[in-house]
Amino acid sequence: HAKQSGRSRFSYFTESMSEKAEQRLALEHALRRALQENGLHIVYQPKVRWPEGEVIGAEALVRWTREDGRVIPPDHFIELAEEAGLITQVDEWVMREVCQQIAAWRRDGGRTVPVSVNVSLARLDNERLLEHTRNALQDAGIPAECVEIEFTESQMFTHKEQAVELMNQLKELGIGLAVDDFGTGYSNLTYLAQYDFDTIKIDRTFVCGLHDNERQYAIVQAIIAMARAMGFRMIAEGVETPEEAAMLQEHGCRDMQGYLFSKPVTAVECLTLIRNGLPDRHETAGLRTAHGPH
Ligand code: C2E
Ligand code: MG
Ligand code: MG
Ligand code: MG
């Protein structure tokens, strides 16, 4: 192997690198086309107040359907969109679509709930985001309170000054703000007080297996205590088992989101859950009787 020439190894690497670059470019091109040709759609995951089972909100999550019918989850293209400078267009499309969906639900009559939208801070442009959000609300004819924005904790701290300003501006508009994936962003806790947001979303990694792991349990307790002391609302994401839900509830975190209650569903299915509450599925029904209000 020592005799293998540097040159051939070099050409091997450049070849595979350019192959990768080509794949990326093709993917980027396809995403651009999806944006223009209705290739994206949105699914909605209900947020639930436990143990009542009442749907108190929903989160909009983007999906991309390729031409061959494969559905690509956001974890496989959001980063690409950020790097390619397409994320602003994706997020703007989602915001506009969600506002229109909320307006349609309201026209339908009956109960509606705030819907949250994930917004990337990777290509932060305060003016553009504000302008677009204002227009999306206005064109749909809905009040700002119908929409909530989720920023991931890690991105909030990369452009701190600008993010603080943006959050103040969005609050002024009347939009609810949440810190997503809380606890995973290596945040400086003293900074938290400087951001004007309403809700902390406890990250799934802390929730998963909560009942089996004492340290994880301690972390969740600490986050809940801190959120309460600072006057934030809180919601736990990724709740998959009745045991996790029961523990969160015991410690005063009653707003939850996760496969235990519902996977992300279509707008039509989500509206049914908003109007009728959760179906009394076996496992959740049992939990409600066991731990429900007396
Ligand atoms: P997120 O905002 O933290 O969303 C929660 C993710 O966890 C969603 O994945 C959801 O489907 C999934 N999830 C919900 N409940 C459970 C559960 O009980 N167990 C497990 N294992 N997973 C659960 P999804 O839809 O694949 O989205 C992944 C991430 O992509 C989101 O994380 C969000 O950061 C980002 N994302 C989604 N839509 C958008 C968008 O429109 N714009 C931007 N910028 N980012 C988006
Ligand atoms: Mg989110
Ligand atoms: Mg999250
Ligand atoms: Mg998360």
Side-chain angles (χ1 to χ4, degrees):
H1 285 292
K3 273 191 191 155
Q4 200 176 4
S5 82
R7 200 210 247 154
S8 75
R9 258 182 290 161
F10 179 72
S11 68
Y12 168 76
F13 279 116
T14 45
E15 209 173 292
S16 77
M17 268 166 59
S18 71
E19 222 170 86
K20 271 223 177 89
E22 254 169 55
Q23 278 174 6
R24 266 188 88 78
L25 218 61
L27 202 64
E28 196 183 307
H29 182 71
L31 180 57
R32 243 176 244 284
R33 213 170 43 231
L35 268 162
Q36 287 157 6
E37 295 170 9
N38 269 322
L40 301 182
H41 71 277
I42 298 170
V43 287
Y44 295 86
Q45 187 178 39
K47 298 180 180 181
V48 174
R49 175 142 315 142
W50 198 248
E52 293 86 343
E54 179 196 359
V55 176
I56 51 153
E59 176 173 12
L61 296 156
V62 71
R63 298 287 181 268
W64 172 19
T65 307
R66 299 294 306 264
E67 268 154 1
D68 60 9
R70 276 181 305 141
V71 178
I72 316 284
D75 282 338
H76 292 160
F77 70 88
I78 291 294
E79 211 181 296
L80 171 86
E82 288 177 345
E83 285 162 14
L86 290 170
I87 191 63
T88 310
Q89 278 167 268
V90 172
D91 286 351
E92 286 180 352
W93 181 83
V94 172
M95 178 63 80
R96 183 157 281 277
E97 204 58 25
V98 164
C99 289
Q100 293 295 329
Q101 185 60 68
I102 295 169
W105 283 344
R106 284 160 63 97
R107 277 196 300 275
D108 222 29
R111 210 169 83 88
T112 55
V113 295
V115 178
S116 62
V117 172
N118 295 280
V119 172
S120 166
L121 293 174
R123 302 269 170 152
L124 193 48
D125 181 341
N126 290 10
E127 280 317 307
R128 179 169 171 170
L129 178 57
L130 278 165
E131 169 92 359
H132 183 271
T133 307
R134 225 183 270 123
N135 289 340
L137 290 165
Q138 198 167 32
D139 294 348
I142 58 170
E145 289 73 27
C146 294
V147 172
E148 185 181 64
I149 293 182
E150 299 185 2
F151 295 114
T152 61
E153 189 193 34
S154 54
Q155 288 187 335
M156 275 171 52
F157 290 91
T158 21
H159 311 277
K160 193 188 150 257
E161 304 298 330
Q162 217 183 330
V164 167
E165 190 185 282
L166 176 67
M167 292 176 93
N168 288 333
Q169 291 163 325
L170 287 168
K171 288 294 302 187
E172 248 168 65
L173 259 187
I175 291 187
L177 301 176
V179 184
D180 209 344
D181 303 340
F182 185 84
T184 64
Y186 311 103
S187 59
N188 181 334
L189 289 180
T190 60
Y191 281 168
L192 269 185
Q194 297 169 31
Y195 288 87
D196 194 8
F197 57 86
D198 313 278
T199 305
I200 281 177
K201 292 193 82 174
I202 305 172
D203 191 68
R204 176 167 90 223
T205 52
F206 300 118
V207 173
C208 175
L210 177 65
H211 47 286
D212 282 338
N213 185 318
E214 271 176 42
R215 289 199 171 175
Q216 218 170 304
Y217 180 64
I219 291 173
V220 171
Q221 270 183 284
I223 294 176
I224 291 174
M226 187 199 68
R228 187 180 293 129
M230 291 178 83
F232 295 126
R233 292 183 46 200
M234 60 194 127
I235 178 165
E237 62 175 23
V239 179
E240 293 185 358
T241 69
E243 289 81 8
E244 290 160 2
M247 279 211 162
L248 289 161
Q249 184 203 334
E250 246 167 65
H251 290 280
C253 177
R254 311 203 308 119
D255 292 352
M256 309 178 196
Q257 204 181 335
Y259 294 168
L260 175 63
F261 313 109
S262 171
K263 293 202 168 180
V265 294
T266 63
V268 172
E269 291 170 302
C270 190
L271 184 62
T272 305
L273 293 173
I274 293 168
R275 301 268 157 98
N276 302 344
L278 294 182
D280 264 333
R281 274 175 301 138
H282 175 67
E283 72 271 33
T284 51
L287 179 69
R288 256 185 274 178
T289 359
H291 300 269
H294 312 289

